[in-house]
PDB file of all heavy atoms in Angstrom:
ATOM      1  N   GLY A  85      -1.835  11.318 -34.647  1.00 94.00           N
ATOM      2  CA  GLY A  85      -1.800  10.214 -35.622  1.00 94.00           C
ATOM      3  C   GLY A  85      -3.091  10.080 -36.422  1.00 94.00           C
ATOM      4  O   GLY A  85      -3.498   8.963 -36.736  1.00 94.00           O
ATOM      5  N   ARG A 146       6.647  -2.539 -32.232  1.00 93.00           N
ATOM      6  CA  ARG A 146       6.552  -3.690 -33.163  1.00 93.00           C
ATOM      7  C   ARG A 146       6.013  -4.918 -32.433  1.00 93.00           C
ATOM      8  O   ARG A 146       5.196  -5.655 -32.942  1.00 93.00           O
ATOM      9  CB  ARG A 146       7.912  -4.014 -33.777  1.00 93.00           C
ATOM     10  CG  ARG A 146       8.330  -3.029 -34.829  1.00 93.00           C
ATOM     11  CD  ARG A 146       9.494  -3.507 -35.673  1.00 93.00           C
ATOM     12  NE  ARG A 146       9.923  -2.425 -36.548  1.00 93.00           N
ATOM     13  CZ  ARG A 146       9.287  -2.072 -37.653  1.00 93.00           C
ATOM     14  NH1 ARG A 146       8.211  -2.726 -38.039  1.00 93.00           N
ATOM     15  NH2 ARG A 146       9.710  -1.068 -38.380  1.00 93.00           N
ATOM     16  N   GLU A 151      -0.174  -1.408 -34.621  1.00 89.00           N
ATOM     17  CA  GLU A 151      -0.131  -0.373 -35.662  1.00 89.00           C
ATOM     18  C   GLU A 151       0.368  -0.936 -36.984  1.00 89.00           C
ATOM     19  O   GLU A 151       1.149  -1.898 -37.004  1.00 89.00           O
ATOM     20  CB  GLU A 151       0.822   0.767 -35.249  1.00 89.00           C
ATOM     21  CG  GLU A 151       0.220   1.806 -34.323  1.00 89.00           C
ATOM     22  CD  GLU A 151       0.125   1.353 -32.877  1.00 89.00           C
ATOM     23  OE1 GLU A 151       0.999   0.590 -32.427  1.00 89.00           O
ATOM     24  OE2 GLU A 151      -0.851   1.735 -32.221  1.00 89.00           O
ATOM     25  N   SER A 152      -0.094  -0.324 -38.060  1.00 92.00           N
ATOM     26  CA  SER A 152       0.447  -0.665 -39.377  1.00 92.00           C
ATOM     27  C   SER A 152       1.854  -0.069 -39.456  1.00 92.00           C
ATOM     28  O   SER A 152       2.237   0.758 -38.619  1.00 92.00           O
ATOM     29  CB  SER A 152      -0.426  -0.060 -40.472  1.00 92.00           C
ATOM     30  OG  SER A 152      -0.301   1.351 -40.428  1.00 92.00           O
ATOM     31  N   GLU A 153       2.595  -0.449 -40.491  1.00 94.00           N
ATOM     32  CA  GLU A 153       3.964   0.064 -40.656  1.00 94.00           C
ATOM     33  C   GLU A 153       3.962   1.603 -40.751  1.00 94.00           C
ATOM     34  O   GLU A 153       4.778   2.275 -40.109  1.00 94.00           O
ATOM     35  CB  GLU A 153       4.564  -0.571 -41.930  1.00 94.00           C
ATOM     36  CG  GLU A 153       6.044  -0.375 -42.125  1.00 94.00           C
ATOM     37  CD  GLU A 153       6.907  -0.949 -40.983  1.00 94.00           C
ATOM     38  OE1 GLU A 153       6.490  -1.910 -40.312  1.00 94.00           O
ATOM     39  OE2 GLU A 153       8.005  -0.382 -40.757  1.00 94.00           O
ATOM     40  N   ALA A 154       2.990   2.139 -41.511  1.00 94.00           N
ATOM     41  CA  ALA A 154       2.935   3.603 -41.682  1.00 94.00           C
ATOM     42  C   ALA A 154       2.603   4.289 -40.356  1.00 94.00           C
ATOM     43  O   ALA A 154       3.213   5.305 -39.997  1.00 94.00           O
ATOM     44  CB  ALA A 154       1.883   3.964 -42.730  1.00 94.00           C
ATOM     45  N   GLU A 155       1.666   3.703 -39.597  1.00 93.00           N
ATOM     46  CA  GLU A 155       1.284   4.296 -38.303  1.00 93.00           C
ATOM     47  C   GLU A 155       2.453   4.238 -37.320  1.00 93.00           C
ATOM     48  O   GLU A 155       2.691   5.169 -36.559  1.00 93.00           O
ATOM     49  CB  GLU A 155       0.079   3.542 -37.708  1.00 93.00           C
ATOM     50  CG  GLU A 155      -1.226   3.882 -38.407  1.00 93.00           C
ATOM     51  CD  GLU A 155      -2.349   2.898 -38.059  1.00 93.00           C
ATOM     52  OE1 GLU A 155      -2.067   1.775 -37.571  1.00 93.00           O
ATOM     53  OE2 GLU A 155      -3.502   3.255 -38.309  1.00 93.00           O
ATOM     54  N   LEU A 156       3.183   3.127 -37.386  1.00 93.00           N
ATOM     55  CA  LEU A 156       4.335   2.957 -36.499  1.00 93.00           C
ATOM     56  C   LEU A 156       5.396   4.029 -36.786  1.00 93.00           C
ATOM     57  O   LEU A 156       5.913   4.674 -35.868  1.00 93.00           O
ATOM     58  CB  LEU A 156       4.900   1.559 -36.741  1.00 93.00           C
ATOM     59  CG  LEU A 156       5.873   1.013 -35.722  1.00 93.00           C
ATOM     60  CD1 LEU A 156       5.616  -0.466 -35.511  1.00 93.00           C
ATOM     61  CD2 LEU A 156       7.285   1.213 -36.183  1.00 93.00           C
ATOM     62  N   LYS A 157       5.661   4.262 -38.071  1.00 94.00           N
ATOM     63  CA  LYS A 157       6.656   5.287 -38.450  1.00 94.00           C
ATOM     64  C   LYS A 157       6.185   6.653 -37.963  1.00 94.00           C
ATOM     65  O   LYS A 157       6.972   7.459 -37.463  1.00 94.00           O
ATOM     66  CB  LYS A 157       6.832   5.299 -39.970  1.00 94.00           C
ATOM     67  CG  LYS A 157       7.521   4.044 -40.499  1.00 94.00           C
ATOM     68  CD  LYS A 157       8.717   4.411 -41.392  1.00 94.00           C
ATOM     69  CE  LYS A 157       9.817   3.372 -41.326  1.00 94.00           C
ATOM     70  NZ  LYS A 157       9.393   2.020 -41.721  1.00 94.00           N
ATOM     71  N   GLN A 158       4.871   6.894 -38.133  1.00 95.00           N
ATOM     72  CA  GLN A 158       4.313   8.182 -37.705  1.00 95.00           C
ATOM     73  C   GLN A 158       4.484   8.357 -36.186  1.00 95.00           C
ATOM     74  O   GLN A 158       4.878   9.421 -35.715  1.00 95.00           O
ATOM     75  CB  GLN A 158       2.825   8.209 -38.072  1.00 95.00           C
ATOM     76  CG  GLN A 158       2.182   9.566 -37.905  1.00 95.00           C
ATOM     77  CD  GLN A 158       0.704   9.527 -38.272  1.00 95.00           C
ATOM     78  OE1 GLN A 158       0.063   8.481 -38.180  1.00 95.00           O
ATOM     79  NE2 GLN A 158       0.170  10.652 -38.691  1.00 95.00           N
ATOM     80  N   ARG A 159       4.232   7.290 -35.433  1.00 94.00           N
ATOM     81  CA  ARG A 159       4.361   7.369 -33.971  1.00 94.00           C
ATOM     82  C   ARG A 159       5.822   7.640 -33.564  1.00 94.00           C
ATOM     83  O   ARG A 159       6.089   8.360 -32.619  1.00 94.00           O
ATOM     84  CB  ARG A 159       3.835   6.089 -33.308  1.00 94.00           C
ATOM     85  CG  ARG A 159       2.315   6.106 -33.217  1.00 94.00           C
ATOM     86  CD  ARG A 159       1.704   4.887 -32.591  1.00 94.00           C
ATOM     87  NE  ARG A 159       0.263   5.053 -32.598  1.00 94.00           N
ATOM     88  CZ  ARG A 159      -0.524   5.133 -31.521  1.00 94.00           C
ATOM     89  NH1 ARG A 159      -0.016   4.998 -30.329  1.00 94.00           N
ATOM     90  NH2 ARG A 159      -1.821   5.315 -31.636  1.00 94.00           N
ATOM     91  N   LEU A 160       6.764   7.054 -34.306  1.00 94.00           N
ATOM     92  CA  LEU A 160       8.176   7.287 -33.974  1.00 94.00           C
ATOM     93  C   LEU A 160       8.571   8.732 -34.279  1.00 94.00           C
ATOM     94  O   LEU A 160       9.337   9.348 -33.537  1.00 94.00           O
ATOM     95  CB  LEU A 160       9.080   6.303 -34.734  1.00 94.00           C
ATOM     96  CG  LEU A 160       8.992   4.860 -34.221  1.00 94.00           C
ATOM     97  CD1 LEU A 160       9.774   3.914 -35.128  1.00 94.00           C
ATOM     98  CD2 LEU A 160       9.514   4.751 -32.783  1.00 94.00           C
ATOM     99  N   ASP A 161       8.019   9.282 -35.371  1.00 95.00           N
ATOM    100  CA  ASP A 161       8.293  10.697 -35.688  1.00 95.00           C
ATOM    101  C   ASP A 161       7.726  11.606 -34.610  1.00 95.00           C
ATOM    102  O   ASP A 161       8.379  12.542 -34.156  1.00 95.00           O
ATOM    103  CB  ASP A 161       7.650  11.079 -37.041  1.00 95.00           C
ATOM    104  CG  ASP A 161       8.491  10.561 -38.195  1.00 95.00           C
ATOM    105  OD1 ASP A 161       9.665  10.231 -37.957  1.00 95.00           O
ATOM    106  OD2 ASP A 161       7.955  10.475 -39.316  1.00 95.00           O
ATOM    107  N   ILE A 162       6.480  11.288 -34.196  1.00 95.00           N
ATOM    108  CA  ILE A 162       5.852  12.101 -33.137  1.00 95.00           C
ATOM    109  C   ILE A 162       6.683  11.994 -31.856  1.00 95.00           C
ATOM    110  O   ILE A 162       6.896  12.975 -31.147  1.00 95.00           O
ATOM    111  CB  ILE A 162       4.378  11.672 -32.883  1.00 95.00           C
ATOM    112  CG1 ILE A 162       3.525  11.891 -34.129  1.00 95.00           C
ATOM    113  CG2 ILE A 162       3.786  12.441 -31.699  1.00 95.00           C
ATOM    114  CD1 ILE A 162       2.095  11.352 -34.035  1.00 95.00           C
TER     115      ILE A 162
END
Side-chain angles (χ1 to χ4, degrees):
R146 285 194 187 283
E151 277 78 33
S152 68
E153 191 60 27
E155 285 166 342
L156 195 141
K157 291 232 149 59
Q158 190 181 26
R159 280 180 181 243
L160 288 173
D161 282 343
I162 297 173

